[in-house]
Amino acid sequence: DGTMVVPARELDVISRYAQLMSNIPYAAAAYALFDFFLVNADEDMAIVELLDDEEKVAAIMEVENGILMQRLVGMGVIVFATVFWSYLTYHPVPFNELSL
């Protein structure tokens, strides 16, 4: 009769993926706030303190490397938290149907 039957597990995977994709703007906004308020403030203060130093190029590079690590760790934590929260809170298919 032309109807298509989608197994519950496949529907669950598709629904979780769609829900995860809808959370990308939230993760991006969280990272932007983290970067703007925490990382940039630390970077600006550290560079201002180093401007009077004789070895300022090496000192500024050290600060920039630290800031890069903060950004990478912050982005990783936010992505992990978004994915983790999505898997904990979103269940489009009732659990009793997943055993099909």
Side-chain angles (χ1 to χ4, degrees):
D1 65 30
T3 56
M4 188 168 100
V5 176
V6 178
R9 285 196 185 278
E10 189 173 336
L11 182 61
D12 184 58
V13 169
I14 292 168
S15 300
R16 285 179 183 271
Y17 182 74
Q19 195 269 339
L20 182 63
M21 290 297 112
S22 70
N23 281 343
I24 287 178
Y26 298 123
Y31 178 73
L33 291 172
F34 167 80
D35 186 48
F36 182 77
F37 287 110
L38 299 178
V39 176
N40 281 339
D42 289 343
E43 181 180 14
D44 293 342
M45 291 302 293
I47 288 177
V48 165
E49 291 174 3
L50 295 173
L51 288 179
D52 294 332
D53 198 21
E54 292 180 10
E55 301 173 352
K56 62 182 164 184
V57 173
I60 288 174
M61 287 305 295
E62 184 178 331
V63 169
E64 291 295 328
N65 288 336
I67 298 301
L68 178 62
M69 288 307 297
Q70 281 183 341
R71 286 185 174 148
L72 291 176
V73 169
M75 185 171 51
V77 167
I78 289 170
V79 167
F80 175 78
T82 302
V83 170
F84 183 72
W85 186 256
S86 293
Y87 279 110
L88 279 180
T89 60
Y90 189 71
H91 303 289
V93 178
F95 286 119
N96 60 352
E97 294 182 19
L98 290 177
S99 61
L100 296 176

